[in-house]
Amino acid sequence: MTTEKTKVPDETAVRVALWRALHVRSDAPPHVVEDEVGLDLVAPGEDWQLRPDMAGEGMRGFRAGVVARARFVEDLVAQRCAAGVAQYVILGAGLDSFVQRRPEFAGRLRVFEIDQPATQEWKRRRLAELGHGPASWQHWVPVDFETGEVWWERLVENGFDPDRPAVLSCAGVTMYLSEEAVRDTLAQAARAAAGSTLAMTFILPTAFDEPEDPAAHAAAGRPEPGPRVHFRSYFTPDAILGLALKAGFREAQYVSTEEITARYFAGRTDGFRPAAGEPFMLAHT
């Protein structure tokens, strides 16, 4: 999304891009992902690391979650691409920089970025200004979600082959959608050819509950106690899996934050790990 006045991505997209860059700048290696392209796009000024959402200690768990979900999706894409899948669809792409950072996939993969038209116009302009020339394997799919455009139709119109399998990602999006919109997203994604996989994050209803035991709450990597965050949608694992199967997916599985943490953060001694509460659902056609 972009704001009408400034025609720049909204604060959520900017924050995610800056968190990914801050991970490289501030967190000890090994880095889960290395991505400073978004920082270059935003060009926030020299004091960007002092922003409250960057400097606050309580933000580390959220930052870890952002880089973890990026790594999880990119590992999935690499795995499925090795198996012959040649299409990757990013729902709500924002300032994603997969194409700019992973040139080794050029020629083997076509990437389709779905987002608001103004966001994509701004992003394309900034990429050009930074010297990132047009990439033949990057396909822009502008969709005005606010007018009810059907993204699947726009996707096909922009070169996506509905008869070939794909990886679809929808990370950091569902919490901003109504349950009805999540159902619709799942129904459209389930139209993908057999052999396709959707990776979708969602927020657990317990993610921001006040703790009975603050120490246990902190040990679980949960956000610090405070006012409940009011996202639009929360789902239990059973609920989101049920929605996926009802939408037409052949199979769906839950991937917990604990599994993600064990995969990418084992052995760290700096306490850097994802805040609990935004796991993955993998759905297969």
Side-chain angles (χ1 to χ4, degrees):
M1 294 179 64
T2 60
T3 63
E4 282 301 315
K5 288 184 178 180
T6 61
K7 295 294 184 183
V8 299
D10 68 15
E11 193 59 28
T12 300
V14 169
R15 182 180 300 114
V16 167
L18 296 185
W19 271 345
R20 287 165 70 146
L22 187 61
H23 175 51
V24 178
R25 299 287 181 95
S26 298
D27 299 318
H31 296 125
V32 181
V33 293
E34 294 190 358
D35 180 9
E36 295 185 277
V37 176
L39 173 62
D40 293 336
L41 291 173
V42 176
E46 294 183 359
D47 62 348
W48 67 275
Q49 295 189 42
L50 300 179
R51 289 170 40 140
D53 55 354
M54 298 293 126
E57 182 64 23
M59 297 291 103
R60 293 185 80 227
F62 295 110
R63 182 169 77 247
V66 162
V67 298
R69 74 191 189 200
R71 174 65 180 273
F72 180 83
V73 170
E74 292 190 14
D75 282 356
L76 174 66
V77 170
Q79 177 189 49
R80 299 303 298 140
C81 185
V85 173
Q87 300 186 112
Y88 172 30
V89 179
I90 310 174
L91 287 160
L95 302 184
D96 187 273
S97 60
F98 180 86
V99 169
Q100 287 70 46
R101 291 181 295 104
R102 306 297 299 271
E104 69 270 24
F105 286 97
R108 295 189 293 145
L109 193 66
R110 291 190 298 158
V111 178
F112 297 84
E113 295 194 12
I114 300 178
D115 215 325
Q116 298 280 7
T119 296
Q120 295 198 336
E121 179 182 351
W122 180 89
K123 183 178 177 180
R124 296 177 75 168
R125 176 176 58 81
R126 287 293 295 137
L127 285 171
E129 290 172 351
L130 293 171
H132 296 287
S136 61
W137 55 300
Q138 183 174 24
H139 300 261
W140 305 90
V141 185
V143 176
D144 191 342
F145 300 104
E146 296 178 2
T147 64
E149 274 195 278
V150 180
W151 60 262
W152 180 265
E153 294 177 357
R154 301 290 85 77
L155 183 61
V156 174
E157 289 173 0
N158 282 274
F160 179 82
D161 187 345
D163 296 321
R164 299 184 65 187
V167 174
L168 301 93
S169 71
C170 183
V173 174
T174 61
M175 66 279 275
Y176 303 112
L177 303 177
S178 65
E179 183 172 335
E180 180 180 357
V182 173
R183 291 175 185 269
D184 180 68
T185 298
L186 288 168
Q188 293 187 61
R191 298 171 67 178
S196 297
T197 301
L198 167 68
M200 172 181 278
T201 64
F202 62 98
I203 298 295
L204 295 171
T206 56
F208 297 96
D209 282 355
E210 294 290 338
E212 293 182 5
D213 182 346
H217 189 85
R222 298 187 184 279
E224 294 181 359
R228 185 179 177 86
V229 175
H230 293 287
F231 290 135
R232 297 188 69 184
S233 295
Y234 298 85
F235 298 95
T236 65
D238 286 344
I240 198 74
L241 295 177
L243 289 179
L245 295 175
K246 187 174 182 179
F249 284 97
R250 170 181 54 84
E251 178 186 353
Q253 65 189 94
Y254 173 59
V255 182
S256 69
T257 303
E258 290 74 18
E259 291 177 72
I260 298 291
T261 301
R263 182 180 301 189
Y264 299 121
F265 298 83
R268 295 191 72 100
T269 59
D270 57 0
F272 185 67
R273 61 178 178 175
E278 189 184 9
F280 269 94
M281 184 267 293
L282 291 179
H284 311 279
T285 57

